[in-house]
């Protein structure tokens, strides 16, 4: 045991044994609800009949079908990443170089898509360019067309477009943030030495931004490599990433060994990619010199055109789908405006795919989200205390362990729950707790990352001062720690709530048919014919959009620099 | 060679530069000296072409530079924070300007070796710039700006980040290199000592205007304004209350002054201790500090004002606090000054 850890760790409560016992709770939680299911997945693929047998695994991994799925997963991620960067780079230039009204608001709004639940984004694009969507309806009525002219549904194009929509802001923020901290004199030095135009980009800007571009590319690649909801909802049966294939094999075909083998490959690839990303990300943290680029208002005509074009493209691309979602939810299938789809959420027609009125899905989601918030904040807080000592070797081992649930995709997590938690020793098959437990695993890293910086920045002598002044360890925590980390805790709680409300992949595995969450309900309704189902799906998407946007706004307002950065 | 004519700049309604006129003949090092915020860096950036909005004209050999973009000016510029390219090694940094000029590879190599030798970094080609010491980075930055043979070299507080000892060592060396290459240069600094060692001439800037241009000796011996005198550490400046027939009246009495002036300087070069009969100023010793070769004595005059004099320490004992001291000022060392400071010259 590293005694340094114990001595330096702030006291959470009085008795030492109780203190250490409490800190073990989140570890235990991870062990039972994360590592055990994961091991179960491993077991299904590598120990099919109680003994090690790699042949099944080998057969699956070497099959043509598998190779095609893997290949598709790779290249769609690569193309999505390239497209995202191609859009983010010029936008980053505009945001770093120019000053224009509402700039910080623009940047914040551009980040909104990233926090939206997949299912909402899928609905939004369906509402914009889908066969029953805004654009097709408009074009059909304008030109009296018999069929929808825009045929993007179930195409590769729509998958790529949505991937770019999702990730462009992440890349933009990463690159622009790094760029703004570059010393502007470096570029001036290059200009004095004769660099200009493309040579300035090629010999100076791009090499300087290389770490940020690589990190952004790695991150976007990871996100699109594990894309699930977008492909399932918008891609249709023709397209399958590894994630989607895991889901289909496990749930539709009940072919557990194949699903497990795919999961295993997925986990290994993800961890490898995350190691790469962490390395890259470290290199972009190094160079935070004091100099900050001086922005100027656009002056020449071409500069103004550039800024104008960037903002126009951004607003069309980022906000049109969301606007279309809201519009279509109150117009689809009707001649005028209607709130009938919202009103219809309370009824339960015979033969509904949901078995319950849609409104109940909202209730379910709220309850699950609240339970998730309590669990994630509780465990996350304890974990943060466990991880507070940065210099401890133990912590350097534990820290990535607590981030692993983010690395292992939600689908794999749900699949693990399905395999592990429906039989003794831990039979939770019929328990309503499964969903909040899965959500807690996904949300906990966010809570930890929100609280930890605040916790680490409390100078130890502040606590010592309180103790010398007569405060007991419990009082020190209440009067010193809590006020200092409260903002981080609040941000973490909102993160947990929002993540739970929108979580799709894991829920799809573990939700029982009669207790759907909002995303599950939307997914099922979208899969059904008829304007009523479609309208209700969109109406629920709008509600979820509002919840996510509100959570996002609160987080943006609350977080100080360095809190909740990933 | 370089000519700055009537250059002015406004920033957000405030004048940053007011009608700057400077001429730097070929082969001269001119130092721009002034406190931070006086506009000296802005002027340098205008000359470099990095600032586009200004009035007036900058010319090289009679040709106006307006409309000539930065990358076509063929100047060298060494930044205060050096701005070395972090993604390139030492040779890569130095080669940058050569590559932009389209110099063939083998010729580049030769030139890199040449300038590295010139700055005393022979063999440093493949070093990573992030791993160099402060002084070495300075030399690389200098080598980078020298390599393309700039027709005009600008240096913006290039030694600002170094500690005093290293700076002391590098100033004459830097001057030596620039002189050896026969370059015309503009050197910006806020350090009077640095400016005096580095510059053939020094231009003192204050509040966006050039107050005085001259050789270091001229500036020190005959400052023209209250600001210049104070900035050079010549602190015995008295406001002239009234001027009449070659005599300026101050709170310390009358001093010979050929021309009317707003203030006068009692130059330390013309000050010596004396007896009660010859004395121009009588005061009580308020504070004494031993500065090695001299005692720095603060004298309080009966009017309540305080003047500071340095008295040679050789062969005398420490002046006693409270004692009365008499000081004589040579008439030719009473210098009339203009006042450009918004506040009264003596508070």
């Amino acid at each position: 045991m590293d005694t340094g850890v114990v001595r330096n760790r702030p006291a959470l409560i009085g008795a030492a044994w109780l203190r250490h016992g409490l800190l073990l709770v989140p570890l235990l939680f991870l062990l039972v609800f994360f590592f055990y299911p994961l091991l179960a997945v491993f077991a299904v693929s590598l120990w099919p009949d109680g003994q090690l047998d790699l042949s099944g695994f080998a057969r699956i991994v070497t099959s043509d079908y598998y190779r095609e799925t893997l290949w598709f997963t790779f290249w769609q991620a690569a193309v999505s990443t390239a497209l995202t960067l191609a859009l983010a780079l010029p936008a980053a230039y505009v945001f770093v170089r120019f000053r224009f009204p509402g700039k910080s608001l623009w940047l914040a709004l551009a980040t909104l898509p990233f926090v939206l639940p997949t299912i909402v984004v899928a609905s939004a694009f369906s509402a914009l360019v889908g066969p029953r969507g805004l654009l097709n309806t408009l074009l059909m009525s304008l030109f009296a067309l018999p069929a929808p002219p825009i045929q993007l549904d179930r195409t590769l194009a729509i998958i790529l477009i949505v991937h770019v929509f999702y990730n462009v802001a992440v890349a933009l923020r990463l690159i622009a943030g790094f760029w703004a901290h570059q010393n502007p004199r470096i570029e001036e030095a290059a200009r004095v030495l004769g660099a200009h135009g493309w040579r300035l980009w090629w010999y100076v800007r791009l090499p300087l931004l290389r770490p940020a571009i690589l990190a952004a590319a790695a991150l976007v690649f990871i996100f699109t490599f594990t894309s699930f909801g977008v492909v399932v909802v918008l891609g249709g049966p023709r397209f399958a990433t590894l994630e989607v294939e895991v889901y289909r094999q496990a749930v539709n075909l009940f072919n557990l060994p194949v699903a497990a083998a795919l999961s295993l490959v997925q986990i290994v690839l993800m961890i490898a990619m995350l190691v790469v990303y962490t390395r890259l990300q470290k290199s972009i943290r190094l160079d935070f010199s004091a100099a900050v680029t001086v922005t100027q208002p656009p002056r020449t005509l071409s500069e103004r055109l550039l800024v104008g074009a960037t903002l126009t493209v951004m607003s069309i691309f980022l906000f049109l789908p969301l606007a279309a979602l809201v519009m279509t939810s109150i117009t689809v299938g009707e001649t005028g405006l209607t709130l009938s789809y919202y009103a219809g959420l309370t009824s339960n027609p015979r033969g509904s795919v949901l078995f319950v009125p849609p409104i109940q899905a909202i209730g379910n989601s709220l309850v699950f989200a609240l339970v998730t918030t309590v669990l994630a904040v509780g465990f996350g807080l304890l974990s943060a205390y466990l991880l507070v000592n940065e210099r401890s070797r133990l912590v350097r081992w534990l820290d990535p362990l607590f981030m692993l649930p983010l690395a292992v995709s939600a689908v794999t997590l749900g699949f693990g729950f399905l395999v592990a938690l429906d039989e003794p020793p831990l039979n939770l098959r019929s328990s309503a707790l499964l969903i909040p437990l899965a959500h807690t695993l996904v949300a906990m890293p966010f809570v930890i990352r929100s609280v930890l910086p605040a916790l680490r920045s409390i100078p130890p002598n502040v606590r010592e001062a309180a103790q010398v002044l007569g405060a007991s360890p419990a009082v020190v925590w209440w009067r010193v720690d809590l006020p200092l980390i409260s903002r981080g805790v609040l941000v973490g709680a909102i993160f947990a709530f929002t993540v739970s409300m929108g979580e799709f992949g894991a829920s799809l595995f573990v939700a029982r048919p009669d207790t759907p969450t909002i995303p599950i309900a939307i997914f099922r309704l979208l899969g059904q014919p008829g304007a009523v189902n479609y309208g209700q799906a969109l109406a629920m998407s709008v509600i979820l959009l509002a919840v996510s946007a509100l959570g996002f706004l609160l987080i943006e307002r609350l977080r100080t620099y360095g809190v909740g950065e990933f | 060679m370089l000519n700055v004519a009537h250059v002015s700049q406004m920033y957000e309604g405030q004048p940053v530069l007011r009608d700057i006129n400077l001429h730097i003949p070929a082969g001269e090092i001119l130092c721009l000296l002034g406190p931070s915020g006086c506009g000296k860096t802005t002027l340098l950036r205008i000359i470099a072409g990095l600032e586009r909005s200004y009035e007036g004209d900058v010319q090289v050999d009679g040709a106006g530079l307006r409309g000539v973009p930065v990358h076509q000016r063929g100047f060298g510029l060494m930044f205060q924070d050096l701005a070395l390219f972090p993604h390139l090694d030492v040779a890569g940094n130095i080669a940058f300007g050569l590559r932009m000029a389209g110099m063939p590879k083998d010729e580049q190599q030769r030139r890199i070796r040449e300038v590295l030798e010139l700055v005393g970094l022979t063999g440093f080609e493949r070093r990573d710039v992030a791993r160099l010491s402060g002084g070495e980075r300075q030399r690389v930055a200098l080598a980078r700006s020298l390599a393309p043979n700039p027709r005009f070299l600008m240096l913006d507080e290039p030694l600002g980040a170094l500690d005093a000892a290293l700076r002391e060592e590098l100033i004459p060396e830097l001057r030596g290199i620039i002189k050896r290459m026969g370059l015309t240069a503009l050197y910006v600094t806020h350090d009077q000592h640095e400016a005096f060692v580095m510059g053939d001439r020094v231009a003192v800037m204050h509040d966006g205007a050039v107050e005085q241009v001259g050789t270091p000796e001229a500036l020190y011996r005959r400052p023209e304004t209250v600001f210049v005198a104070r900035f050079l550490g010549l602190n015995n400046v008295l406001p002239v209350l009234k001027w009449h027939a070659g005599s300026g009246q101050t709170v310390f009495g009358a001093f010979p002054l050929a021309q009317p002036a707003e203030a006068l300087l009692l130059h330390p070069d013309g000050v010596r201790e004396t007896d009660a009969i010859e004395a121009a100023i009588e005061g009580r010793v308020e504070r004494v500090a031993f500065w090695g070769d001299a005692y720095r004595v603060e004298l309080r005059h009966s009017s309540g004002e305080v003047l500071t004099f340095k008295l040679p320490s050789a062969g005398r004992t420490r002046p006693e606090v409270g004692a009365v001291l008499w000081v004589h000022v040579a008439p030719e060392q009473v210098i009339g000054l203009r006042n450009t400071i918004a506040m009264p010259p003596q508070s």
Side-chain angles (χ1 to χ4, degrees):
Chain A
M1 185 83 194
D2 189 346
T3 51
V5 186
V6 179
R7 211 179 316 120
N8 293 338
R9 186 178 304 135
L12 185 56
I13 53 160
W17 63 268
L18 193 54
R19 208 152 71 215
H20 291 138
L22 261 182
L23 293 181
L24 289 180
V25 170
L27 265 181
L28 205 68
F29 173 73
L30 272 192
L31 217 57
V32 174
F33 292 106
F34 180 66
F35 289 104
Y36 171 55
L38 221 56
L39 280 179
V41 170
F42 283 33
V44 166
S45 88
L46 302 178
W47 277 271
D49 303 305
Q51 54 185 24
L52 186 64
D53 176 10
L54 294 174
S55 63
F57 177 73
R59 204 167 47 248
I60 293 157
V61 173
T62 51
S63 73
D64 278 351
Y65 182 72
Y66 166 75
R67 272 214 301 275
E68 271 164 35
T69 306
L70 186 63
W71 172 235
F72 173 74
T73 311
F74 259 110
W75 76 257
Q76 65 81 22
V79 174
S80 302
T81 305
L83 290 175
T84 304
L85 286 180
L87 216 66
L89 209 55
Y93 176 74
V94 166
F95 273 91
V96 168
R97 278 303 139 81
F98 300 114
R99 194 165 52 216
F100 45 85
K103 183 167 142 181
S104 53
L105 187 71
W106 272 101
L107 201 57
L109 282 177
T111 321
L112 177 64
F114 184 62
V115 299
L116 291 182
T118 351
I119 197 76
V120 169
V121 175
S123 301
F125 271 87
S126 160
L128 181 66
V129 293
R132 284 175 291 196
L134 196 67
L135 282 184
N136 273 324
T137 318
L138 213 67
L139 290 172
M140 280 162 75
S141 67
L142 267 180
F143 302 106
L145 299 170
I150 302 175
Q151 304 271 3
L152 280 175
D153 208 27
R154 309 196 158 190
T155 61
L156 181 65
I158 192 75
I159 295 178
L160 295 179
I161 289 172
V162 175
H163 280 171
V164 174
F165 169 86
Y166 242 113
N167 294 304
V168 75
V170 184
L172 169 64
R173 275 206 154 182
L174 234 143
I175 296 171
F178 182 74
W179 203 342
H181 283 91
Q182 290 288 313
N183 182 353
R185 305 280 167 270
I186 293 177
E187 194 176 312
E188 288 176 356
R191 287 166 62 202
V192 172
L193 288 167
H196 180 64
W198 70 266
R199 297 212 287 185
L200 203 51
W201 277 99
W202 185 250
Y203 291 116
V204 183
R205 281 181 194 147
L206 289 179
L208 280 179
L209 295 179
R210 208 176 84 108
I213 292 173
L214 282 180
L219 199 60
V220 174
F221 189 85
I222 289 172
F223 286 142
T224 49
F225 189 84
T226 55
S227 180
F228 174 67
V230 173
V231 182
V232 159
V233 179
L234 293 172
R238 282 205 298 133
F239 300 101
T241 55
L242 273 179
E243 294 274 296
V244 175
E245 204 49 40
V246 170
Y247 169 70
R248 287 200 187 131
Q249 293 291 341
V251 173
N252 295 355
L253 307 171
F254 214 70
N255 194 345
L256 294 189
V258 172
L262 294 170
S263 266
L264 201 62
V265 173
Q266 163 91 351
I267 292 168
V268 172
L269 286 174
M270 275 299 286
I271 291 176
M273 287 191 274
L274 271 162
V275 169
V276 171
Y277 170 68
T278 315
R279 287 261 167 85
L280 293 170
Q281 202 211 16
K282 268 193 194 124
S283 70
I284 68 174
R285 291 249 160 126
L286 276 178
D287 201 299
F288 273 112
S289 48
V292 172
T293 302
V294 186
T295 55
Q296 290 183 334
R299 275 186 301 216
T300 63
L301 182 66
S302 57
E303 283 176 356
R304 271 186 211 159
L305 277 177
L306 183 65
V307 173
T310 305
L311 296 186
T312 310
V313 169
M314 261 176 69
S315 44
I316 289 177
F317 190 57
L318 296 176
F319 305 123
L320 211 56
L322 301 182
L325 173 63
V326 178
M327 270 304 290
T328 314
S329 79
I330 51 173
T331 54
V332 69
E334 302 278 330
T335 43
L337 299 181
T338 173
L339 285 174
S340 64
Y341 300 120
Y342 291 85
L345 294 179
T346 54
S347 69
N348 183 20
R350 184 177 291 274
S352 153
V353 283
L354 295 180
F355 307 109
V356 291
I359 191 87
Q360 201 167 317
I362 298 176
N364 290 340
S365 270
L366 284 175
V367 173
F368 290 148
L370 284 174
V371 176
T372 301
T373 307
V374 171
L375 287 178
V377 168
F379 291 150
L381 209 53
L382 289 173
S383 313
Y385 272 93
L386 191 64
L387 301 175
V388 75
N389 188 347
E390 272 176 288
R391 280 187 296 270
S392 150
R393 202 180 307 160
L394 183 71
V395 166
R396 260 181 274 152
W397 273 98
L398 281 178
D399 193 75
L401 222 60
F402 278 90
M403 291 300 120
L404 259 188
L406 272 190
V408 171
S409 69
V411 168
T412 300
L413 209 64
F415 179 53
F417 269 40
L418 195 74
V419 179
L421 302 181
D422 71 337
E423 56 188 19
L426 210 59
N427 191 347
L428 294 170
R429 192 205 315 244
S430 56
S431 168
L433 259 179
L434 273 183
I435 291 184
L437 283 176
H439 289 183
T440 300
L441 283 173
V442 182
M444 229 169 83
F446 290 95
V447 177
I448 296 175
R449 279 288 160 260
S450 304
V451 176
L452 207 47
L455 200 58
R456 280 181 176 158
S457 68
I458 302 177
N461 53 14
V462 171
R463 293 199 187 92
E464 287 163 5
Q467 280 175 310
V468 172
L469 290 169
S472 69
V475 173
V476 169
W477 187 78
W478 180 253
R479 297 274 176 195
V480 179
D481 285 42
L482 193 60
L484 290 173
I485 60 172
S486 58
R487 194 182 267 251
V489 173
L490 196 57
V491 168
I494 299 168
F495 256 127
F497 187 86
T498 325
V499 163
S500 171
M501 287 296 284
E503 208 288 327
F504 179 59
S507 310
L508 205 53
F509 277 88
V510 295
R512 284 178 301 163
D514 56 340
T515 51
T517 62
I518 300 178
I520 305 291
I522 297 170
F523 178 60
R524 294 208 194 130
L525 288 169
L526 277 180
Q528 299 299 309
V532 174
N533 284 326
Y534 189 60
Q536 289 192 349
L538 297 188
M540 287 184 80
S541 298
V542 170
I543 293 171
L544 194 49
L545 167 66
V547 172
S548 312
L550 190 68
F552 169 72
L553 276 179
L554 286 174
I555 291 170
E556 280 289 312
R557 286 221 70 145
L558 280 172
R559 81 167 166 200
T560 49
Y561 179 75
V563 175
E565 296 278 343
F566 293 91
Chain B
M1 192 267 173
L2 189 96
N3 201 38
V4 175
H6 303 294
V7 165
S8 301
Q9 195 197 35
M10 303 282 283
Y11 183 73
E12 290 178 351
Q14 295 290 318
V16 180
L17 293 176
R18 314 159 192 255
D19 192 33
I20 305 282
N21 293 286
L22 285 174
H23 179 72
I24 311 177
E28 183 187 271
I29 301 177
L30 178 75
C31 276
L32 271 185
L33 174 66
S36 61
C38 71
K40 55 194 193 299
T41 294
T42 307
L43 179 59
L44 175 137
R45 290 173 60 83
I46 285 175
I47 296 172
L50 292 166
E51 298 272 332
R52 281 180 294 179
S53 57
Y54 62 91
E55 283 162 45
D57 206 9
V58 179
Q59 299 144 352
V60 170
D61 297 329
L65 287 182
R66 200 178 272 283
V68 180
V70 194
H71 64 280
Q72 286 172 3
R73 293 198 177 188
F75 289 177
L77 171 54
M78 193 173 160
F79 286 96
Q80 181 172 15
D81 51 11
L82 307 184
L84 293 176
F85 302 123
H87 60 290
L88 299 174
D89 60 10
V90 169
N93 265 277
I94 299 172
F96 192 94
L98 308 176
R99 187 149 86 184
M100 291 301 127
M103 185 186 274
K105 270 269 174 340
D106 50 336
E107 227 173 295
Q108 284 182 26
Q109 295 308 322
R110 210 177 48 237
R111 181 68 184 149
I112 291 167
R113 254 200 318 280
E114 245 171 60
V115 288
L116 276 178
E117 194 192 324
L118 189 69
V119 300
L121 290 181
T122 306
F124 272 60
E125 279 91 341
R126 295 273 82 88
R127 296 281 197 97
D128 181 356
V129 290
R131 303 224 170 135
L132 299 178
S133 73
E136 287 164 350
R137 292 163 56 81
Q138 232 79 25
R139 289 160 197 263
V140 173
L142 179 65
R144 182 178 71 178
S145 48
L146 292 178
N149 248 326
R151 48 183 181 155
F152 179 64
L153 180 67
M154 290 168 290
L155 306 98
D156 186 8
E157 308 225 9
L159 306 178
L162 298 180
D163 62 64
L166 191 55
R167 199 157 64 208
E168 200 65 28
E169 179 193 321
L170 282 180
I171 297 168
E173 194 183 323
L174 191 52
R175 181 178 160 85
I177 291 171
I178 297 171
K179 281 291 165 193
R180 219 172 313 149
M181 291 189 66
L183 285 169
T184 313
L186 181 69
Y187 188 102
V188 167
T189 177
H190 66 269
D191 184 298
Q192 169 241 323
H193 171 70
E194 198 174 320
F196 278 12
V197 178
M198 183 61 69
D200 295 319
R201 285 188 309 148
V202 175
V204 180
M205 279 187 74
H206 166 232
D207 201 13
V210 173
E211 294 254 321
Q212 190 176 350
V213 190
T215 61
E217 290 84 349
L219 282 177
Y220 182 76
R221 288 180 190 148
R222 280 283 177 271
E224 287 167 4
T225 70
V226 173
F227 177 82
V228 173
R230 287 265 173 79
F231 198 75
L232 300 182
L234 308 171
N235 281 313
N236 289 332
V237 173
L238 302 171
V240 173
L241 305 172
K242 210 175 74 189
W243 183 87
H244 179 71
S247 169
Q249 188 67 40
T250 72
V251 287
F252 287 77
F255 291 93
L257 203 57
Q259 303 291 326
E262 290 168 88
L264 57 81
L265 166 72
L266 308 178
H267 203 287
D269 286 357
V271 168
R272 62 182 162 81
E273 196 181 354
T274 179
D275 52 32
I277 300 149
E278 193 196 23
I281 299 166
E282 178 188 298
R284 265 178 205 288
V285 176
E286 176 127 330
R287 248 181 244 157
V288 181
F290 180 55
W291 277 28
D293 59 339
Y295 286 105
R296 186 173 179 278
V297 180
E298 290 179 25
L299 271 191
R300 185 173 288 278
H301 184 253
S302 57
S303 68
E305 298 291 335
V306 174
L307 289 179
T308 306
F309 297 103
K310 277 207 262 182
L311 305 176
S313 63
R316 67 161 302 159
T317 53
R318 175 187 279 257
E320 295 220 13
V321 171
V324 174
L325 216 72
W326 296 278
V327 170
H328 175 261
V329 181
E332 70 277 9
Q333 296 290 6
V334 176
I335 299 160
L337 303 173
R338 277 184 294 119
N339 183 29
T340 56
I341 307 175
M343 291 172 296
Q346 184 85 40
S347 53

